[in-house]
């Protein structure tokens, strides 16, 4: 039988990861299973253009991502945005990656619904699907419905029930059990001196404590 090998699928999970937590890891595992990804690449932002005044420097956020994912087969850390000067735009990352992997593999940008709802504010958002698919899952109260007009238009043109056999161009939704954690809430807990061991990997908490990250800043 002359069976074609399945098209390789590379998932991309971008974020500030400030710090990386169990919600990010659950998202990566759920996406890998639901979308049959061969690999999930974690891509920490260098200079976050939408989140200002976040806690830790890029080098520390990158270290923590490495600590959290490096031992998981199929999970990879991609540091390109921390090395690139200027704001970290996802479209630039997709263009670079596409040039590296060639035209065949599917690139799948994995997003929580909070990010998807924001998509039309992203730099050159209308070009993203030329380079990748987008796969989104519900996060907390951020519904996967009732989007703004530009996103509704994108969904009308590109929404699919499942990833097609193509390198890019579709928007799909997938399910994951909710994991109620956010980096901002975690930072607040850490600043209060709490040790939320159930919300982040032990190695990441040890790193945070060793480097005295997310300590409360005394009021001026
Ligand atoms: P913040 O609290 O500062 O908004 P965050 O927890 O959302 O931070 P990011 O690094 O901005 O962390 O998130 C990266 C990606 O992970 C985004 O697509 C986001 O939707 C997704 N994500 C983060 N936390 C969760 C979670 N608990 N469940 C599902 N997806 C999540």
């Amino acid at each position: 039988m002359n069976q074609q090998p399945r098209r390789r699928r590379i998932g991309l999970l971008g974020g500030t990861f400030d710090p990386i937590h169990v919600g990010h890891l659950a998202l990566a595992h759920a996406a890998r299973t639901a979308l049959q990804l061969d690999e999930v690449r974690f891509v920490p932002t260098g200079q976050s253009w939408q989140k200002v005044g976040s806690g830790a420097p890029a080098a520390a956020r990158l270290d923590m991502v490495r600590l959290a994912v490096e031992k998981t087969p199929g999970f990879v850390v991609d540091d390109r945005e921390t090395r690139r000067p200027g704001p970290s735009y996802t479209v630039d990352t997709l263009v670079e990656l596409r040039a590296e992997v060639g035209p065949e593999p599917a690139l799948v940008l994995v997003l929580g619904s909070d990010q998807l709802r924001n998509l039309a504010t992203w730099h050159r958002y209308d070009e993203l699907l030329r380079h990748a698919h987008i796969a989104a899952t519900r996060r907390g109260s951020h519904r996967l419905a009732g989007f703004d007009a530009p996103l509704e238009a994108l969904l009308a043109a590109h929404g699919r029930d499942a990833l097609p056999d193509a390198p890019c161009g579709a928007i799909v939704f997938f399910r994951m059990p909710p994991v109620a954690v956010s980096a901002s809430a975690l930072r607040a807990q850490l600043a209060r001196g709490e040790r939320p061991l159930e919300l982040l990997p032990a190695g990441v908490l040890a790193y945070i404590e060793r480097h005295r990250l997310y300590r409360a800043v005394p009021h001026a």
Side-chain angles (χ1 to χ4, degrees):
M1 210 165 62
N2 186 14
Q3 233 187 2
Q4 290 280 97
R6 189 173 70 78
R7 184 187 300 275
R8 191 169 160 70
R9 289 183 177 168
I10 303 172
L12 303 170
L13 179 44
T16 14
F17 301 116
D18 194 13
I20 189 164
H21 54 63
V22 294
H24 299 128
L25 298 173
L27 175 62
H29 283 289
R32 180 165 68 178
T33 305
L35 307 165
Q36 296 177 287
L37 304 175
D38 297 287
E39 168 185 322
V40 180
R41 282 192 191 211
F42 290 70
V43 192
T45 55
Q47 198 176 318
S48 225
W49 59 281
Q50 283 208 332
K51 293 191 183 180
V52 283
S54 60
R61 292 185 286 104
L62 176 64
D63 281 347
M64 291 188 279
V65 173
R66 288 201 167 116
L67 282 170
V69 314
E70 243 164 24
K71 292 201 182 94
T72 306
F75 284 8
V76 173
V77 182
D78 186 322
D79 68 355
R80 75 184 61 233
E81 291 191 359
T82 66
R83 286 186 280 107
R84 205 161 60 213
S88 296
Y89 293 127
T90 301
V91 67
D92 295 334
T93 298
L94 293 182
V95 169
E96 281 182 20
L97 261 173
R98 179 54 75 195
E100 283 171 27
V101 301
E104 281 304 317
L107 296 177
V108 185
L109 188 59
V110 175
L111 301 177
S113 50
D114 55 318
Q115 291 294 321
L116 180 73
R117 298 189 72 84
N118 235 349
L119 196 78
T121 69
W122 288 23
H123 185 60
R124 290 161 49 202
Y125 78 94
D126 49 343
E127 293 174 36
L128 297 168
L129 290 165
R130 277 192 227 156
H131 311 290
H133 302 295
I134 293 176
T137 191
R138 179 166 175 145
R139 179 181 180 195
S141 58
H142 306 275
R143 292 185 313 130
L144 282 172
F147 302 110
D148 58 13
L151 189 55
E152 285 291 358
L154 216 55
L155 277 165
H158 297 277
R160 300 284 181 274
D161 290 336
L163 282 181
D165 179 18
C168 57
I171 304 178
V172 298
F173 296 155
F174 66 97
R175 287 179 191 279
M176 73 175 266
V179 182
V181 52
S182 77
S184 34
L186 246 177
R187 291 196 298 276
Q189 283 182 275
L190 291 162
R192 289 195 296 270
E194 293 173 28
R195 304 184 77 242
L197 260 172
E198 69 290 1
L199 300 183
L200 74 190
V204 173
L205 182 58
Y207 183 99
I208 289 169
E209 293 179 339
R210 196 161 62 249
H211 293 268
R212 306 171 69 82
L213 301 175
Y214 312 119
R215 295 291 175 100
V217 183
H219 291 293

